[in-house]
Amino acid sequence: MKLENKVAIVTGGSRGIGRAIVLQLASDGAKVIFTYQSSEQVANELAEEVKKNGGEAYCIKADASSFEEAQNVVNFALEKFGSVSILVNNAGATKDNLLLRMSESDFDSVINTNLKSVFNYTKAILKPFLGQRFGKIINISSVVAITGNAGQANYVAAKAGVIGLTKSNAKELASRNINVNAIAPGFIETDMTSKLTDLQKDAILVNVPLKKMGKPEDIAKLVSFLSSSDSDYITGQVIAVDGGMVM
């Protein structure tokens, strides 16, 4: 297995894309620590599913917007396994509204969950990564960070910030053999997109050359690749997984 003896931290790992990432990394041999915000039962069920499949996973309740809680998660991983090799910054939230109606608290909340969380976990993991002169950081952004999207100024700003952080951190950390890349998912079948009407989905697919929505597993497979030695010469990249929506 290509990730055997590797240890991964996945933020926001209990549902949707995060869940698929946890399952994929574990199936590829990694020991996985994943965080959740509110769905304790769902998180525990996922950890049990990994174990039943012969893997090893642990879930921790943590607020991704808190640096202190991010440091606690990293400390847990180090105490449990002695090292960490992979960080997947996946935690995210939306509070959509037109800018005219968007509250300051909704803007701040989405920025903190989607963008500050990447700073928190990356900073928390740096000391062990720098010490071992190795690490893989994969940040989950979005295609709307590239295209913009009406009614999502907070989310788009946060995800665009993730791209900026990815590129800056890749340049800072390359000399220490630490790869930093971002994935920009398009429209993926998750709880978030399940709320869309058929009419809304059809309107979206008009702009998707492959004429279908992606699956969480499409993202998870790329995360696995970027976590492995197969991607050792790739850093600072933003890879869209969007059916050709952005070219």
Side-chain angles (χ1 to χ4, degrees):
M1 292 185 284
K2 62 183 178 181
L3 299 179
E4 192 171 6
N5 298 322
K6 303 295 185 184
V7 178
I9 293 174
V10 180
T11 67
S14 64
R15 293 179 179 275
I17 290 173
R19 183 180 189 277
I21 291 169
V22 170
L23 289 171
Q24 184 68 55
L25 295 182
S27 71
D28 288 333
K31 299 174 177 64
V32 184
I33 297 98
F34 67 94
T35 69
Y36 67 96
Q37 177 70 5
S38 58
S39 307
E40 182 175 4
Q41 182 179 344
V42 173
N44 286 328
E45 288 173 354
L46 175 57
E48 284 302 313
E49 182 177 349
V50 170
K51 291 171 187 175
K52 285 179 182 177
N53 291 333
E56 192 169 356
Y58 300 87
C59 56
I60 301 176
K61 183 176 183 179
D63 179 358
S65 68
S66 164
F67 176 75
E68 181 180 1
E69 293 192 28
Q71 188 68 69
N72 289 340
V73 172
V74 172
N75 289 343
F76 172 84
L78 293 173
E79 290 165 8
K80 187 75 178 175
F81 298 112
S83 67
V84 180
S85 307
I86 302 156
L87 169 64
V88 184
N89 285 305
N90 172 71
T94 57
K95 292 187 177 180
D96 297 348
N97 214 331
L98 295 175
L99 185 62
L100 184 66
R101 301 187 184 121
M102 186 177 292
S103 68
E104 182 180 2
S105 62
D106 282 353
F107 185 87
D108 289 346
S109 173
V110 170
I111 292 292
N112 287 337
T113 300
N114 292 275
L115 178 56
K116 186 170 183 286
S117 62
V118 178
F119 165 83
N120 290 339
Y121 276 87
T122 302
K123 186 171 176 62
I125 205 75
L126 273 189
K127 188 174 287 186
F129 273 16
L130 291 171
Q132 68 197 19
R133 297 185 68 86
F134 173 80
K136 301 278 191 174
I137 300 174
I138 301 99
N139 300 323
I140 307 301
S141 180
S142 171
V143 290
V144 298
I146 302 168
T147 64
N149 199 32
Q152 287 193 307
N154 48 4
Y155 182 76
V156 172
K159 291 301 190 180
V162 169
I163 291 175
L165 264 180
T166 299
K167 291 180 176 291
S168 294
N169 291 341
K171 289 187 175 183
E172 288 186 21
L173 301 174
S175 64
R176 298 298 184 95
N177 197 37
I178 298 169
N179 302 68
V180 189
N181 291 290
I183 298 173
F187 288 93
I188 308 297
E189 294 177 0
T190 63
D191 291 344
M192 198 180 297
T193 55
S194 69
K195 298 173 185 176
L196 298 173
T197 66
D198 288 341
L199 193 62
Q200 288 172 318
K201 290 179 182 177
D202 289 342
I204 290 167
L205 293 179
V206 167
N207 297 313
V208 179
L210 286 181
K211 300 303 177 190
K212 62 181 180 180
M213 297 180 75
K215 298 183 181 299
E217 292 76 14
D218 295 322
I219 310 302
K221 290 172 186 176
L222 180 54
V223 169
S224 179
F225 168 72
L226 292 173
S227 299
S228 74
S229 60
D230 293 340
S231 66
D232 282 352
Y233 200 56
I234 300 173
T235 197
Q237 301 306 302
V238 181
I239 304 172
V241 183
D242 62 357
M245 182 181 171
V246 176
M247 295 189 187

